Amino acid sequence: MNMADPPRTVLISGCSSGIGLQLAVQLAHDPRQRYQVVATMRDLGKKGTLEAAAGEALGQTLTVAQLDVCSDESVAQCLSCIRGGEVDVLVNNAGVGLVGPLEGLSLATMKKVFDTNFFGAVRLVKAVLPGMKRRRQGHIVVVSSVMGLQGVVFNDVYAASKFALEGFFESLAVQLLQFNIFVSLVEPGPVATDFEGKLLEQVSAAEIPGADPDTLHYFQDLYLPASRELFRSIGQSPQDVAQPYKMETLRTSPAHK
């Protein structure tokens, strides 16, 4: 990137914690100031940690905005606050988890997972894509998961939502190359975050109506302890996933994983 070039506008969803927060802060602190970061979250009541981590970058190379990826109106409102409504790099990071025996999961809950993890990403892409096509440049980064490549026991619905992302964006990437728009799928393994810890705590204490005793034993006595140990022993940190050099590689490479 030429030093005379204007900074690239980077819109990131799901920045209240974890990967989104770390990526937003690291890009905003780029010593060459190549990025103007719009860090978004559904609940602005949770912005304190992000603002503290941003430090002097807040209001300079980083702004915080409200964005609910499940709402067309919220997406439109967020983009209207961006100068010219132009987004150079879109990072689809917002997501929710869901763990547990299938018998204990309602269809309404499953739909909420897909509305955030899959349709939320699609909704944002549909909003920024016309501008990217018109300018014939852009980059769409999708934070998927290793569970978008391989299913994991008791993560049926979450994995399905990530598989859907993989199929959708792999297909879309081919179409967008002619517009000089790149698509990147990022597929982290276990990432140790407060979000993951709280999710495991909640399901540990939850009642699971309808599940048979053998399944409950498998989930509560085998799966949950193994999951905690997995995240404790080999879990990556959000900082590991959000390293700026990785973002730079994504920004300049063709559609890839």
Side-chain angles (χ1 to χ4, degrees), residues 98-200:
L98 185 63
V99 178
L102 184 63
E103 296 93 331
L105 306 177
S106 69
L107 284 177
T109 301
M110 297 180 197
K111 289 177 180 178
K112 287 181 180 178
V113 171
F114 268 80
D115 201 19
T116 299
N117 293 4
F118 177 69
F119 289 109
V122 174
R123 185 175 282 109
L124 274 177
V125 169
K126 281 175 63 67
V128 304
L129 201 53
M132 288 184 174
K133 283 185 172 181
R134 187 169 57 251
R135 298 189 304 278
R136 290 192 173 267
Q137 64 176 15
H139 198 134
I140 298 165
V141 181
V142 183
V143 181
S144 179
S145 167
V146 68
M147 279 190 262
L149 302 174
Q150 179 176 343
V152 173
V153 63
F154 293 121
N155 285 265
D156 324 68
V157 178
Y158 179 79
S161 71
K162 295 299 185 178
F163 266 71
L165 280 178
E166 299 275 336
F168 179 86
F169 282 101
E170 284 184 7
S171 302
L172 185 64
V174 178
Q175 306 171 39
L176 296 184
L177 284 176
Q178 63 181 311
F179 295 96
N180 196 39
I181 299 170
F182 300 137
V183 175
S184 299
L185 285 158
V186 183
E187 294 148 339
V191 182
T193 65
D194 290 341
F195 169 83
E196 189 66 39
K198 289 177 181 177
L199 178 63
L200 289 177

